Amino acid sequence: MKKLFLSLSALALFLGLALAGESYNVGEDGASVTERINLTIPQRVALHLTEDEWVLDLNAPPLGNVATGEGCFLVPKGFPGSLEDALNAALSGSLAPIDTYPAIRDLNGNGSIDPGEKGTLICINQKVLQKFCNNREGCELDLKVTRTLGGPTYGKLGVRDEASGIGHTRFVEIIPDVNDNGEPLELLKVLGSRLPGWLDDTITEAFWFDGSEVAGTYEFNFLFQLAAL
């Protein structure tokens, strides 16, 4: 009898150890148990750029392609608009693709240069910037452009950020010797809410060689920064 008692005590101890930290319930007609879940979601901010270099050599300008939104286009002499206007005109197909610098070509093949067949050159490059930010207060995307080689005589330079997922578009112009020294330029700010997962932005960069440019080699560093607010 004593041996049986010891066996039952050992079994009870074993079951007690086995059930420690577990939820259990025994009943005649039903039973229920409760599970508690602790979840930790860390704050994260991340960027992915699909292209990290743009080499533009006007000895052989890339022919413009409206379908891809890249390449060079002829801006007719006397074009009255701004850099952003010229960019929009190129992307809408209103400007003729061209691969010569300076921009001049007998486009209609009649053997002469007609009005509209010479002018200046705008060259465009596009890439995708993917952003992630789960901060509930929002996030801000800035661009810092630093000219690392060459003087301020490179024509006009602008950058457009389009986040179609949230209906956002922002264009900033990089003005030589004014904001090409690493000054932060705001491309996007979302306040009071988080970004919707990985948000894809189309980044469009445009150089307009409007006649103010001077021959030389120029280099720039584009630094995209995303920060939680």
Side-chain angles (χ1 to χ4, degrees), residues 144-191:
K144 294 181 179 180
V145 176
T146 303
R147 176 165 42 88
T148 56
L149 180 64
T153 50
Y154 50 83
K156 294 183 177 180
L157 168 61
V159 176
R160 183 162 68 195
D161 174 73
E162 295 178 89
S164 58
I166 58 174
H168 169 84
T169 299
R170 178 76 184 273
F171 178 84
V172 295
E173 185 167 352
I174 316 304
I175 302 174
D177 259 355
V178 174
N179 58 4
D180 60 357
N181 57 0
E183 175 185 338
L185 304 170
E186 182 185 306
L187 291 181
L188 179 147
K189 180 181 284 187
V190 176
L191 293 173

Side-chain angles (χ1 to χ4, degrees), residues 12-59:
L13 177 61
F14 172 77
L15 289 174
L17 292 174
L19 294 175
E22 297 183 5
S23 178
Y24 68 96
N25 179 247
V26 178
E28 293 184 359
D29 299 318
S32 64
V33 295
T34 300
E35 176 189 13
R36 184 178 68 250
I37 297 177
N38 291 326
L39 172 64
T40 300
I41 300 178
Q43 180 171 293
R44 290 291 185 263
V45 177
L47 286 176
H48 171 232
L49 191 62
T50 59
E51 176 185 285
D52 61 6
E53 186 178 39
W54 180 23
V55 177
L56 179 59
D57 185 351
L58 296 190
N59 286 300

Side-chain angles (χ1 to χ4, degrees), residues 26-221:
V26 178
E28 293 184 359
D29 299 318
S32 64
V33 295
T34 300
E35 176 189 13
R36 184 178 68 250
I37 297 177
N38 291 326
L39 172 64
T40 300
I41 300 178
Q43 180 171 293
R44 290 291 185 263
V45 177
L47 286 176
H48 171 232
L49 191 62
T50 59
E51 176 185 285
D52 61 6
E53 186 178 39
W54 180 23
V55 177
L56 179 59
D57 185 351
L58 296 190
N59 286 300
L63 184 66
N65 185 329
V66 176
T68 63
E70 296 193 328
C72 299
F73 301 83
L74 187 154
V75 183
K77 184 178 179 180
F79 182 82
S82 64
L83 169 58
E84 187 175 11
D85 294 330
L87 173 61
N88 289 334
L91 294 178
S92 68
S94 300
L95 302 183
I98 195 169
D99 56 2
T100 60
Y101 175 80
I104 183 170
R105 175 166 293 173
D106 179 13
L107 296 172
N108 58 18
N110 66 356
S112 64
I113 301 300
D114 298 329
E117 294 185 329
K118 67 178 177 181
T120 56
L121 193 71
I122 185 170
C123 297
I124 301 169
N125 183 58
Q126 288 191 336
K127 54 182 63 72
V128 176
L129 181 68
Q130 299 171 327
K131 307 186 304 300
F132 180 91
C133 178
N134 64 357
N135 178 34
R136 73 175 68 222
E137 302 302 324
C139 294
E140 180 175 328
L141 174 68
D142 290 335
L143 169 64
K144 294 181 179 180
V145 176
T146 303
R147 176 165 42 88
T148 56
L149 180 64
T153 50
Y154 50 83
K156 294 183 177 180
L157 168 61
V159 176
R160 183 162 68 195
D161 174 73
E162 295 178 89
S164 58
I166 58 174
H168 169 84
T169 299
R170 178 76 184 273
F171 178 84
V172 295
E173 185 167 352
I174 316 304
I175 302 174
D177 259 355
V178 174
N179 58 4
D180 60 357
N181 57 0
E183 175 185 338
L185 304 170
E186 182 185 306
L187 291 181
L188 179 147
K189 180 181 284 187
V190 176
L191 293 173
S193 65
R194 58 149 296 165
L195 296 182
W198 281 102
L199 179 64
D200 290 357
D201 290 19
T202 299
I203 301 295
T204 304
E205 302 159 343
F207 278 101
W208 185 9
F209 306 103
D210 62 344
S212 65
E213 72 275 8
V214 174
T217 299
Y218 302 83
E219 291 182 358
F220 303 84
N221 182 57

